[in-house]
Amino acid sequence: MAADARNLTGEPLVVRPPDTGPAGAGRPSTTHPKRTVPPPPPPPGGPTAAFAAPARVPLPNASGPREATTRLIAHGCWYPSADPSGTRVAVICDRGGVPQLWTGPVDGEAVHLLDDGPDPVTEVSWSPDGRWIAYTTAPGGGEHTRVLCVRPDGSDRHILAGAEPGSSAHLGCWAHDGSAVAVTVAVPTAVPAPDATAPAGAPGPGPADGRLPAHWQGRTGDTKLLGPAPHTDPGPGLPSSALTVGTAAIGAPDGRTAPAAGFGDGLSAYLVDPDGVAAPVLLAVEKDAATLRVCDLSRDGALALLRRGPRGRREAVVLRTADQVTTCVMPVADGDPWIGSFSPRADTLWLRSNAHREFAVLLAAALDPDGRPRGWSVAASRDNSDLELLSCARDGAFAVLAWNIRGMSEVEVLDTSAAGRPGRDREASARRGTDSGPPRSVSLPHEVVTRITGAGPRLVLALSGSRRRPGIWWLPDGATPLRTPWSSRDEDAVPPGRPPVRPVPLRPTARDGLPLNGWYYRAPGRAPGEPAPCVIHLHGGPEDQERPVLDPLYHEILGRGLDVFAPDVRGSSGYGRSFVDADLGRGRFAAIDDVADCAAHAVLAGPADPARLAVMGRSYGGYLTFASLVWHPDLFRTGIAVCGMSDLATFFDGTEPWIAQSAAHKYGHPERDRELLRTLSPMSRVDALRAPVLAVHGEHDTNVPPGESEQFVRAARERGVTAELLTLPDEGHEFLRADNRRLFRRAAADWLQRHLST
């Protein structure tokens, strides 16, 4: 914890989760099915030390499932992954006070805790053969993650990747026979890789200091400032210029096409045997990369679908595993990283893509035996709406599509056995009368779907809404969704006596004429026309989108008699690529003005009191909070910045290297755009600050380091402005522990009530 981290009374803050400790020892597995995924050939001379293969690390474990020591009635369940039968799901659930790995039947009460460790779980994936559950944890709540595996009965828990000091591992897809799971390992270039010749148990290198290496200053790579570009829809087909075919798209393990050395992490994608029998197989390498995720493997393992690239410029890459040849590169949309999949025979590729168009659609490509596209077609699209989630059935019979309609979700099932096949395949289907026809809609009991999964004929959905906590629902044979008995009930979303508030949409207009959007929450008990203190709350990203879902923070603020207006300023997703790109470069000044314009709209079109306005936000929203307080110093009475950047130069110096790669595209290059970044930094205008400010940060945040809040608070105090800093222990960029989240909500609401109620 930082030396000046105090609670609002000036006393040191200490909040720790209960220490459950290890529960026993796991049993190593000796079984392994016949491998059907042919491993790629090893690179000549083997991988370099910077890309050392992940090591399997057994962990203490109980012999079976455990129960949580704490049970929260108002809990959330999300990120489901179904077993092969579709009757059981593994989920992330915080009913024990921290997001943990649970499993249970879709139609029964008997849920079990599989990992009672204190580290929050972030992703889950049940193997296709049902023998393993892979999942990702964030040790200490920070940004460096690990990939683990455990048996469905809770035994044989072990780390697959990310155990090495300074490294981070991310979960990819499973091989379709369950013989391997893909993981991506990020090894900071500032930290030497573990010595492969060192004896077992030898200590590894110390943790990274989180700073970019010195040679960042001379980088001349492809990450550069990009302005808004036109995205036009060429029609049902795509032009040949929309497609790249060749071998120069992704770095092969032997380095033939790897980019020149520069700043950032080396990202290595491996196929890892969860049983520990076969050695990890290096699949692909990217140097100085923002992201690299293995999204799907063909049934025979001959093709891999990868997602790579910085925010706003993601790409799908089809890689032939036998010779490391890239056969296809196609732009894809931001958002959910699971961008698509191969058909069972690998003769069709399905992608969620916004290539050369404003909104993401479902694209289909017929593939030749070498994995090269023969042609592309649009299999499903909606006017002015993004395809947000895509889940394809393992047997290739159907795909489930979730569309984003101004923040609300609509779900439909599309028959993919014939739909979208380009060229003669489609014509033959039409002649046989087997073309799919219109998709079938699924009625949702709540506003937003956050994940879709399934096995066999069953679908499992993660749903959230303005009056419920996140929960898991399942569709029996395509009927109306049913809530799993262990997901919290709608009536348990909040304590009795004060039901959640359903927001209403507002449509502000920016001063330059750009239409904006947002959701207004009215505090209970106020007369319709009575002016109310109002908090302008800004989401992160900046590509996130405000959704009509139950936010406990909003519920706490509304309970203090304060309204909340949560707008989507330019740069937000859900309104087309041009809107997302409208804040690039000098467009960020307009995004700062959007905040003031939204506040004015809340006053003119809503019941907000112009003399009692506050601004608050997290991550990029925290940056906008700092910026709004110094660009519009007389508009807001106070502000709360959560994990926000205050100086873009120090942010680049301190953030994770792979985050810097993406951020350079969004904000500007730290060298080539140095003056622009300085001008955009709130610290450059801190002399204009007038309003009291509360800064909140997680002590293990390496996405936006805590120093960003510390330096702004320090500068405010030096200028005689009231400023406080609240640092939450055992938290990273996201606040995941129930005690810390409760403390944050109450501290923020106390601060706002104190400064807005009079």
Side-chain angles (χ1 to χ4, degrees), residues 436-752:
S436 60
R440 173 173 54 86
S441 296
V442 175
S443 176
L444 297 179
H446 293 285
E447 292 97 325
V448 178
V449 57
T450 59
R451 184 164 168 80
I452 303 169
T453 186
R458 290 194 174 184
L459 295 178
V460 180
L461 309 175
L463 295 179
S464 191
S466 60
R467 295 176 179 270
R468 69 155 293 108
R469 300 271 179 159
I472 309 303
W473 298 64
W474 65 289
L475 278 72
D477 302 322
T480 302
L482 300 176
R483 182 183 64 87
T484 54
W486 34 267
S487 290
S488 62
R489 301 173 301 174
D490 293 359
E491 56 266 34
D492 294 329
V494 297
R498 184 163 53 87
V501 172
R502 186 185 299 274
V504 296
L506 287 187
R507 305 283 184 251
T509 300
R511 61 191 64 184
D512 62 359
L514 183 68
L516 306 175
N517 297 271
W519 298 91
Y520 197 95
Y521 297 77
R522 180 66 163 161
R526 288 191 180 274
E530 180 185 359
C534 182
V535 180
I536 309 298
H537 190 276
L538 307 165
H539 63 67
E543 309 92 337
D544 290 349
Q545 182 186 14
E546 191 67 34
R547 312 297 291 268
V549 298
L550 175 64
D551 189 326
L553 172 65
Y554 295 178
H555 187 74
E556 184 79 31
I557 294 172
L558 293 165
R560 307 299 181 94
L562 314 177
D563 288 3
V564 175
F565 179 38
D568 288 320
V569 300
R570 69 190 69 201
S572 304
S573 62
Y575 309 100
R577 287 186 62 170
S578 295
F579 193 86
V580 172
D581 287 347
D583 67 344
L584 296 183
R586 300 190 66 84
R588 200 154 312 281
F589 292 111
I592 297 171
D593 286 339
D594 285 350
V595 180
D597 295 340
C598 287
H601 187 84
V603 171
L604 296 175
D609 185 345
R612 292 184 292 171
L613 296 175
V615 61
M616 178 181 182
R618 195 195 72 81
S619 190
Y620 176 73
Y623 160 80
L624 279 184
T625 297
F626 284 141
S628 298
L629 292 174
V630 297
W631 257 270
H632 305 285
D634 299 319
L635 180 59
F636 298 105
R637 187 180 284 193
T638 188
I640 301 178
V642 184
C643 301
M645 304 95 75
S646 62
D647 188 310
L648 294 176
T650 57
F651 161 71
F652 272 105
D653 284 344
T655 190
E656 297 285 0
W658 63 89
I659 295 173
Q661 284 280 2
S662 280
H665 163 71
K666 295 302 298 184
Y667 307 122
H669 192 283
E671 277 299 304
R672 296 194 292 268
D673 303 302
R674 180 186 300 178
E675 182 58 27
L676 174 63
L677 295 181
R678 187 197 67 79
T679 308
L680 283 168
S681 294
M683 285 295 292
S684 69
R685 299 175 59 97
V686 72
D687 287 340
L689 182 67
R690 301 287 183 271
V693 60
L694 170 65
V696 185
H697 230 105
E699 69 168 340
H700 298 316
D701 189 351
T702 56
N703 184 328
V704 178
E708 294 298 303
S709 289
E710 294 166 3
Q711 64 190 5
F712 195 89
V713 168
R714 186 180 303 111
R717 289 174 175 174
E718 290 172 353
R719 289 157 177 79
V721 178
T722 300
E724 297 287 346
L725 173 64
L726 175 64
T727 300
L728 299 178
D730 297 321
E731 299 287 5
H733 197 57
E734 305 279 350
F735 304 156
L736 301 176
R737 304 181 190 281
D739 290 344
N740 280 339
R741 292 171 67 91
R742 189 179 304 111
L743 173 64
F744 160 61
R745 293 195 300 267
R746 291 176 178 173
D750 286 346
W751 180 274
L752 293 168

